[in-house]
Amino acid sequence: GAVVSQHPSWVICKSGTSVKIECRSLDFQATTMFWYRQFPKQSLMLMATSNEGSKATYEQGVEKDKFLINHASLTLSTLTVTSAHPEDSSFYICSATARVSGNSPLHFGNGTRLTVT
Amino acid sequence: GQNIDQPTEMTATEGAIVQINCTYQTSGFNGLFWYQQHAGEAPTFLSYNVLDGLEEKGRFSSFLSRSKGYSYLLLKELQMKDSASYLCAVRDSNYQLIWGAGTKLIIKP
């Protein structure tokens, strides 16, 4: 089946530093990748949608200058949390799909647990 | 607005059957997904329904009624490893996935 690799699995950083999270599709070309954020006991919250070679589309309320997304190739997207603060601590999950159509499921990475101290 | 409702938590016994319901109100409909998510892990795909009726896949089955805006996930012969959250998601007319908050299923021996 389709495999999405996300790295790192967890990261602890100091307030004010930046953290980069990578998301790779290992056995398919991901034309579209999605970045989600999930707080404990809450649902997935879509942060942004990125298509290869174009700028990401951010959801309302998500600061694009704080959460930088790059989708430079069909197999790699990165999310950089810039100047991280404790309130950015969360579980970040990427997902990818080869095509956005009715029955194409999202394939998820294993997530990155970010803790900002 | 768009809305998906699922029970917050359910408890069932090992070996039994449990049904997790999901009701939705969305702008258009292009399919409904069920995902399983273990604590601290990412969701994994379970099933997809776009036509009315029951889709069976091993111990798991998923049902859809588009006219009622309703789906359920049926888990049979429950095992302890089935303890997880189950997420219902609907693809709307813009092919955006709208997520429910998930149902935490607790399996007791």
Side-chain angles (χ1 to χ4, degrees):
Chain A
V3 178
V4 176
S5 174
Q6 186 172 343
H7 178 81
S9 300
W10 58 271
V11 59
I12 301 172
C13 70
K14 292 186 177 180
S15 186
T17 61
S18 294
V19 174
K20 180 185 281 189
I21 302 170
E22 290 189 351
C23 181
R24 295 180 184 270
S25 57
L26 298 185
D27 53 358
F28 68 101
Q29 292 186 325
T31 55
T32 306
M33 287 188 172
F34 304 88
W35 287 96
Y36 288 89
R37 183 173 179 175
Q38 188 176 34
F39 291 104
K41 299 183 180 181
Q42 294 189 21
S43 184
L44 297 171
M45 186 193 82
L46 180 64
M47 298 175 67
T49 302
S50 72
N51 293 296
E52 185 266 339
S54 61
K55 289 184 178 180
T57 302
Y58 289 81
E59 295 300 303
Q60 192 172 10
V62 178
E63 299 176 57
K64 61 181 179 182
D65 293 330
K66 180 170 183 63
F67 299 99
L68 301 178
I69 292 172
N70 184 279
H71 193 163
S73 77
L74 284 171
T75 59
L76 174 64
S77 177
T78 61
L79 167 68
T80 302
V81 183
T82 62
S83 186
H85 292 287
E87 58 265 30
D88 298 324
S89 298
S90 186
F91 190 48
Y92 293 86
I93 313 173
C94 74
S95 66
T97 185
R99 68 187 191 284
V100 179
S101 65
N103 65 349
S104 57
L106 291 186
H107 304 287
F108 287 88
N110 285 331
T112 298
R113 187 159 304 282
L114 171 64
T115 302
V116 184
T117 60
Chain B
Q2 310 205 84
N3 192 51
I4 295 186
D5 288 316
Q6 315 178 225
T8 303
E9 187 174 297
M10 299 182 70
T11 302
T13 305
E14 189 177 15
I17 299 173
V18 71
Q19 177 175 311
I20 302 174
N21 296 325
C22 170
T23 58
Y24 63 89
Q25 293 175 309
T26 57
S27 302
F29 179 83
N30 278 300
L32 184 144
F33 297 84
W34 282 97
Y35 281 82
Q36 180 190 61
Q37 185 177 24
H38 284 100
E41 298 180 11
T44 54
F45 170 72
L46 288 178
S47 67
Y48 171 77
N49 294 70
V50 68
L51 299 177
D52 290 349
L54 187 69
E55 295 280 343
E56 297 186 75
K57 192 183 291 185
R59 292 189 299 115
F60 293 3
S61 303
S62 56
F63 171 84
L64 174 68
S65 169
R66 288 171 297 171
S67 62
K68 295 182 179 179
Y70 167 70
S71 172
Y72 68 72
L73 180 68
L74 190 71
L75 292 76
K76 302 177 184 177
E77 301 170 17
L78 286 171
Q79 302 174 9
M80 297 303 291
K81 67 178 182 179
D82 297 330
S83 293
S85 287
Y86 292 84
L87 307 176
C88 173
V90 173
R91 194 160 256 158
D92 69 9
S93 57
N94 294 320
Y95 291 95
Q96 297 291 323
L97 267 183
I98 312 300
W99 293 88
T103 298
K104 182 179 180 180
L105 178 63
I106 300 169
I107 310 296
K108 295 185 174 180

